[in-house]
């Protein structure tokens, strides 16, 4: 006995609407008349006249069409990244490097630096946005930050 004999499905497919002798002819198991017997009709979310679930539940919030995909990094997170990758990141940090090293997701198109935490190493950061607190802390540590205008 071969292995591919075991995987084969030996059940014959039922072909509906192929004559009276097939046992599934005439109405093809759809009953008589009515909306459900017709082709191309789907009664999605119809609950027999009861108020449907999608209308019973309250609608909340909205999805903004012009949402900006901005990665937000705190100084504490940047310090963790520097500690983890001692040799990988020399003294510059930008969005491309963070994406390449998989520290942030590929979907982000802008970078924002916030000032929570402390940074010890002097590093040059290029970002799109930065808070005043982050700017002062980076300059105090001996690094510098350049803001990209787009």
């Amino acid at each position: 006995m071969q292995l591919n004999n075991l995987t084969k499905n030996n059940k014959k497919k039922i072909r509906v609407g192929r004559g009276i002798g097939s046992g599934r002819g005439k109405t093809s198991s759809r009953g008589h008349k009515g909306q459900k017997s017709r082709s191309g009709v789907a009664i999605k979310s119809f609950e027999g006249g009861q108020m449907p679930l999608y209308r019973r539940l309250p609608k909340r919030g909205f999805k903004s069409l012009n949402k900006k995909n901005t990665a937000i990094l705190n100084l504490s997170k940047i310090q963790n990244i520097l500690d983890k990758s001692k040799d990988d990141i020399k003294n510059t940090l930008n969005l491309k490097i963070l994406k390449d090293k998989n520290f942030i997701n590929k979907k982000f198109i802008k970078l924002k630096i916030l000032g929570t935490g402390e940074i010890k190493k002097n590093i040059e950061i290029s970002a799109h946005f930065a808070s005043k607190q982050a700017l002062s802390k980076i300059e105090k540590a001996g690094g510098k930050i350049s803001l990209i205008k787009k």
Side-chain angles (χ1 to χ4, degrees):
M1 192 161 130
Q2 286 184 326
L3 282 176
N4 35 327
N5 289 353
L6 296 172
T7 58
K8 282 186 180 163
N9 189 2
N10 294 333
K11 286 185 180 176
K12 198 173 180 185
K13 188 182 174 203
I14 296 167
R15 298 176 72 216
V16 296
R18 293 295 184 278
I20 219 165
S22 69
R24 291 267 187 264
K26 196 185 170 210
T27 55
S28 309
S29 306
R30 284 176 175 263
H32 289 277
K33 301 183 182 173
Q35 190 179 8
K36 284 184 166 178
S37 71
R38 315 280 189 229
S39 71
V41 175
I43 312 172
K44 289 186 182 76
S45 71
F46 182 70
E47 299 180 20
Q50 173 178 301
M51 187 62 68
L53 184 69
Y54 73 90
R55 287 182 63 196
R56 271 181 278 165
L57 297 175
K59 307 291 177 271
R60 295 214 35 184
F62 76 105
K63 291 241 191 296
S64 177
L65 291 173
N66 56 355
K67 181 183 169 198
K68 302 285 186 280
N69 286 338
T70 305
I72 296 171
L73 283 182
N74 278 309
L75 291 179
S76 55
K77 178 78 175 169
I78 292 170
Q79 188 60 47
N80 285 348
I81 289 168
L82 294 172
D83 292 342
K84 281 180 186 172
S85 58
K86 285 183 168 56
D87 299 330
D88 294 349
I89 298 168
K90 302 288 183 244
N91 59 350
T92 56
L93 193 72
N94 58 26
L95 191 66
K96 188 179 183 303
I97 291 169
L98 291 168
K99 281 183 184 178
D100 291 344
K101 304 282 185 217
N102 287 334
F103 287 119
I104 61 169
N105 199 318
K106 301 252 187 284
K107 71 179 180 185
F108 294 120
I109 51 174
K110 289 186 178 181
L111 180 62
K112 185 173 191 173
I113 309 294
L114 298 180
T116 307
E118 291 297 321
I119 191 158
K120 297 169 188 84
K121 191 178 177 188
N122 63 332
I123 188 162
E124 194 176 312
I125 301 172
S126 63
H128 295 85
F129 313 103
S131 66
K132 289 176 186 172
Q133 196 178 14
L135 287 166
S136 64
K137 285 184 180 180
I138 290 166
E139 285 164 6
K140 192 186 282 184
K144 72 173 191 179
I145 186 160
S146 57
L147 296 178
I148 302 164
K149 297 276 190 244
K150 271 193 179 176

